[in-house]
Amino acid sequence: MTPMIIPVAHDYSCPWCWIGLLQADQLRAEFGVEFNWLAYELYPEELEFGTWTRPEEPPDKPPTPTRMELAYAAQGIERPTNKGPFPMRTHKAHEATEYAKQTGGVYDLVSAFYHGHYEQAADLDNLDVLTALARPIVKDLDEMLRAIEEKRYKANITGFDEGAYRSGVYNVPTFYIGGERYAEQPYTVLQKAMQKAVVAA
Protein backbone atom coordinates (compact mmCIF):
# COMPACT_ATOMS: atom_id res chain seq x y z
CA MET A 1 0.00 0.00 0.00
CA THR A 2 1.33 3.42 -0.96
CA PRO A 3 2.00 5.54 2.15
CA MET A 4 0.20 8.84 2.65
CA ILE A 5 2.43 11.79 1.73
CA ILE A 6 2.38 14.75 4.12
CA PRO A 7 3.77 18.03 2.72
CA VAL A 8 5.78 20.04 5.25
CA ALA A 9 6.92 23.62 4.67
CA HIS A 10 10.21 23.99 6.53
CA ASP A 11 13.52 25.78 6.81
CA TYR A 12 16.67 24.38 8.39
CA SER A 13 17.44 27.62 10.24
CA CYS A 14 14.16 27.54 12.18
CA PRO A 15 14.27 25.89 15.63
CA TRP A 16 10.56 25.10 15.40
CA CYS A 17 11.45 23.04 12.31
CA TRP A 18 13.98 21.06 14.36
CA ILE A 19 11.00 20.14 16.54
CA GLY A 20 9.07 19.52 13.30
CA LEU A 21 11.61 16.92 12.19
CA LEU A 22 11.23 15.07 15.48
CA GLN A 23 7.45 15.23 15.05
CA ALA A 24 7.80 13.87 11.50
CA ASP A 25 9.82 10.97 12.94
CA GLN A 26 6.95 10.26 15.34
CA LEU A 27 4.27 10.49 12.64
CA ARG A 28 6.31 8.24 10.39
CA ALA A 29 6.65 5.62 13.13
CA GLU A 30 3.02 5.81 14.27
CA PHE A 31 1.18 6.17 10.95
CA GLY A 32 3.63 4.96 8.29
CA VAL A 33 3.44 8.25 6.41
CA GLU A 34 6.13 9.86 4.27
CA PHE A 35 6.88 13.53 3.76
CA ASN A 36 7.34 16.00 0.95
CA TRP A 37 9.75 18.57 2.39
CA LEU A 38 8.78 21.95 0.90
CA ALA A 39 11.68 24.39 0.83
CA TYR A 40 11.08 27.78 2.45
CA GLU A 41 13.86 30.26 3.16
CA LEU A 42 13.52 32.49 6.20
CA TYR A 43 16.66 34.35 5.08
CA PRO A 44 16.80 34.38 1.26
CA GLU A 45 20.01 35.74 -0.22
CA GLU A 46 18.52 39.12 -1.09
CA LEU A 47 17.41 39.71 2.52
CA GLU A 48 19.94 41.42 4.74
CA PHE A 49 20.50 39.97 8.18
CA GLY A 50 18.95 42.31 10.73
CA THR A 51 19.67 42.81 14.38
CA TRP A 52 17.21 42.29 17.19
CA THR A 53 17.55 43.00 20.85
CA ARG A 54 15.18 41.98 23.61
CA PRO A 55 13.54 44.99 25.27
CA GLU A 56 14.55 45.68 28.84
CA GLU A 57 12.26 44.29 31.52
CA PRO A 58 11.81 45.38 35.14
CA PRO A 59 14.45 43.71 37.33
CA ASP A 60 11.82 42.37 39.75
CA LYS A 61 9.70 40.74 37.00
CA PRO A 62 9.53 36.96 37.52
CA PRO A 63 10.69 34.90 34.55
CA THR A 64 8.13 33.48 32.15
CA PRO A 65 8.73 30.87 29.46
CA THR A 66 9.12 32.02 25.89
CA ARG A 67 7.10 30.53 23.04
CA MET A 68 10.21 28.59 22.06
CA GLU A 69 10.69 27.22 25.57
CA LEU A 70 7.05 26.16 25.66
CA ALA A 71 7.46 24.42 22.30
CA TYR A 72 10.45 22.44 23.58
CA ALA A 73 8.54 21.55 26.74
CA ALA A 74 5.52 20.37 24.74
CA GLN A 75 7.80 18.09 22.72
CA GLY A 76 9.55 16.88 25.88
CA ILE A 77 13.04 17.89 24.75
CA GLU A 78 15.74 20.28 25.89
CA ARG A 79 16.85 23.36 23.97
CA PRO A 80 19.83 22.38 21.76
CA THR A 81 23.13 23.35 23.34
CA ASN A 82 25.33 22.79 20.30
CA LYS A 83 23.32 24.59 17.64
CA GLY A 84 24.91 26.02 14.51
CA PRO A 85 24.99 29.67 13.48
CA PHE A 86 21.92 31.87 13.49
CA PRO A 87 20.83 33.53 11.33
CA MET A 88 21.97 31.24 8.54
CA ARG A 89 21.46 31.07 4.79
CA THR A 90 19.86 27.77 3.80
CA HIS A 91 19.56 27.96 0.01
CA LYS A 92 22.44 25.51 -0.55
CA ALA A 93 20.94 22.98 1.86
CA HIS A 94 17.54 23.27 0.15
CA GLU A 95 19.16 22.78 -3.28
CA ALA A 96 20.83 19.61 -1.96
CA THR A 97 17.52 18.43 -0.56
CA GLU A 98 15.73 19.02 -3.86
CA TYR A 99 18.49 17.07 -5.60
CA ALA A 100 17.96 14.16 -3.19
CA LYS A 101 14.26 14.16 -4.04
CA GLN A 102 15.30 13.18 -7.57
CA THR A 103 17.98 10.66 -6.65
CA GLY A 104 16.81 9.08 -3.37
CA GLY A 105 17.51 9.32 0.33
CA VAL A 106 15.77 12.63 0.89
CA TYR A 107 14.40 11.83 4.35
CA ASP A 108 17.81 10.67 5.54
CA LEU A 109 19.42 13.82 4.11
CA VAL A 110 16.88 16.15 5.74
CA SER A 111 17.45 14.35 9.03
CA ALA A 112 21.24 14.57 8.67
CA PHE A 113 21.09 18.31 7.97
CA TYR A 114 18.82 18.99 10.96
CA HIS A 115 20.81 16.81 13.35
CA GLY A 116 24.03 18.32 12.05
CA HIS A 117 22.85 21.88 12.59
CA TYR A 118 21.14 21.44 15.95
CA GLU A 119 23.44 18.86 17.56
CA GLN A 120 26.84 19.38 15.90
CA ALA A 121 26.84 23.16 15.29
CA ALA A 122 26.97 22.57 11.51
CA ASP A 123 26.87 25.63 9.24
CA LEU A 124 24.59 24.53 6.40
CA ASP A 125 25.72 27.45 4.26
CA ASN A 126 29.18 25.83 4.03
CA LEU A 127 29.65 23.47 1.07
CA ASP A 128 32.28 21.39 2.85
CA VAL A 129 29.90 20.86 5.76
CA LEU A 130 27.02 19.92 3.44
CA THR A 131 29.26 17.50 1.57
CA ALA A 132 30.39 15.80 4.79
CA LEU A 133 26.82 15.40 6.03
CA ALA A 134 25.59 14.15 2.65
CA ARG A 135 28.46 11.73 1.99
CA PRO A 136 26.84 8.63 3.59
CA ILE A 137 23.56 9.30 1.77
CA VAL A 138 24.10 10.91 -1.65
CA LYS A 139 25.78 8.68 -4.23
CA ASP A 140 26.97 11.38 -6.62
CA LEU A 141 28.27 14.23 -4.48
CA ASP A 142 29.82 16.02 -7.46
CA GLU A 143 26.43 16.21 -9.17
CA MET A 144 24.81 17.42 -5.96
CA LEU A 145 27.41 20.20 -5.74
CA ARG A 146 26.79 21.11 -9.40
CA ALA A 147 23.06 21.37 -8.64
CA ILE A 148 23.83 23.71 -5.73
CA GLU A 149 26.23 25.81 -7.82
CA GLU A 150 23.75 26.09 -10.72
CA LYS A 151 20.84 26.79 -8.34
CA ARG A 152 19.14 24.11 -10.38
CA TYR A 153 16.06 23.92 -8.17
CA LYS A 154 15.70 27.58 -7.31
CA ALA A 155 12.11 27.60 -8.61
CA ASN A 156 11.20 25.02 -5.95
CA ILE A 157 12.47 27.19 -3.06
CA THR A 158 10.16 29.86 -1.67
CA GLY A 159 11.44 32.87 0.21
CA PHE A 160 9.91 34.76 3.11
CA ASP A 161 7.97 36.94 3.48
CA GLU A 162 6.16 37.81 0.26
CA GLY A 163 6.51 34.54 -1.63
CA ALA A 164 5.73 32.43 1.41
CA TYR A 165 2.66 34.46 2.32
CA ARG A 166 1.34 34.19 -1.25
CA SER A 167 1.56 30.41 -0.95
CA GLY A 168 -0.33 30.40 2.35
CA VAL A 169 2.68 29.70 4.57
CA TYR A 170 3.10 32.17 7.41
CA ASN A 171 5.10 30.02 9.82
CA VAL A 172 7.40 27.05 9.53
CA PRO A 173 6.97 24.22 10.00
CA THR A 174 3.54 23.98 8.41
CA PHE A 175 2.22 20.43 8.06
CA TYR A 176 -0.53 19.81 5.49
CA ILE A 177 -2.78 17.07 6.86
CA GLY A 178 -6.25 16.23 5.60
CA GLY A 179 -6.47 19.45 3.61
CA GLU A 180 -5.70 21.64 6.63
CA ARG A 181 -2.56 23.58 7.61
CA TYR A 182 -0.96 22.99 11.01
CA ALA A 183 1.72 25.54 11.84
CA GLU A 184 4.07 25.23 14.85
CA GLN A 185 1.68 22.82 16.55
CA PRO A 186 2.46 20.33 19.33
CA TYR A 187 2.59 16.66 18.42
CA THR A 188 -0.77 15.88 20.03
CA VAL A 189 -2.47 18.23 17.54
CA LEU A 190 -0.70 16.63 14.58
CA GLN A 191 -1.50 13.18 15.92
CA LYS A 192 -5.22 13.95 16.16
CA ALA A 193 -5.18 15.43 12.66
CA MET A 194 -3.53 12.28 11.32
CA GLN A 195 -6.07 10.06 13.07
CA LYS A 196 -8.88 11.98 11.36
CA ALA A 197 -7.06 11.86 8.01
CA VAL A 198 -6.57 8.10 8.26
CA VAL A 199 -10.27 7.56 8.98
CA ALA A 200 -11.25 9.85 6.10
CA ALA A 201 -8.95 7.99 3.70
Side-chain angles (χ1 to χ4, degrees), residues 49-71:
F49 288 148
T51 58
W52 182 84
T53 56
R54 188 181 296 277
E56 284 192 27
E57 295 182 337
D60 62 342
K61 180 177 182 288
T64 57
T66 65
R67 286 180 62 240
M68 191 75 255
E69 289 167 341
L70 289 172

Side-chain angles (χ1 to χ4, degrees), residues 30 46 57 93 128 159 176 187-188:
E30 185 172 352
E46 63 273 13
E57 295 182 337
D128 291 337
Y176 292 79
Y187 182 72
T188 52

Side-chain angles (χ1 to χ4, degrees), residues 137-154:
I137 303 160
V138 175
K139 293 180 180 179
D140 192 340
L141 288 170
D142 289 337
E143 188 61 24
M144 181 193 81
L145 291 171
R146 276 192 289 273
I148 294 171
E149 179 69 23
E150 296 169 3
K151 297 184 178 180
R152 187 178 299 172
Y153 303 103
K154 184 177 181 180

Side-chain angles (χ1 to χ4, degrees), residues 8-28:
V8 185
H10 78 114
D11 186 39
Y12 293 107
S13 70
C14 172
W16 271 275
C17 293
W18 164 239
I19 295 172
L21 171 74
L22 304 180
Q23 294 172 331
D25 289 342
Q26 290 176 279
L27 292 172
R28 204 179 187 212

